[in-house]
């Protein structure tokens, strides 16, 4: 995914969230699967004090300490990485693991890569 496409998706996600808040007075938000769009919506949700349920976007910053209105349904990427590494080590000690991804914002985060590489 090109950075410009990711930026447009994030902008569209925020615009939709703001529109739902202002026009429809929603009581909660849930949504994007990409971490970049979810991070953009995170800012809107925290600012507007609207509960935001994050279904699969795995960027750790979405539920960093101090977050009050954003809640994670599934583990973040470091949690996934630790679980995968433990499983691989238990079932196939010394096995090599390949990582495939399409979430640009997520994979630009060094904490995520380190979790997979050094778990």
């Amino acid at each position: 995914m090109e950075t410009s496409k990711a930026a447009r998706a994030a902008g569209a996600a925020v615009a939709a969230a703001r529109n739902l808040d202002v026009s429809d007075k929603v009581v909660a938000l849930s949504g994007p699967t990409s971490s970049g769009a979810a991070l953009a919506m995170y800012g809107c949700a925290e600012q507007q004090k609207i509960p935001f349920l994050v279904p699969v976007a795995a960027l750790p910053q979405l539920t960093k300490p101090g977050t009050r209105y954003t809640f994670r349904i599934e583990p973040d990427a470091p949690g996934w990485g630790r679980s995968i590494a433990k499983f691989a080590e238990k079932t196939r000690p010394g096995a090599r693991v390949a990582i495939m991804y399409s979430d640009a914002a997520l994979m630009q985060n060094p904490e995520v890569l380190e979790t997979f590489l050094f778990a």
Side-chain angles (χ1 to χ4, degrees), residues 63-84:
T63 49
K64 64 185 176 186
T67 298
R68 298 192 61 199
Y69 295 93
T70 303
F71 305 92
R72 187 175 297 287
I73 295 172
E74 293 189 12
D76 61 12
W80 286 349
R82 283 187 293 276
S83 294
I84 291 168

Side-chain angles (χ1 to χ4, degrees), residues 76-103:
D76 61 12
W80 286 349
R82 283 187 293 276
S83 294
I84 291 168
K86 285 179 185 178
F87 176 78
E89 186 60 32
K90 182 179 178 182
T91 59
R92 296 184 147 236
R96 295 177 65 194
V97 176
I99 301 170
M100 297 172 55
Y101 62 90
S102 63
D103 191 333

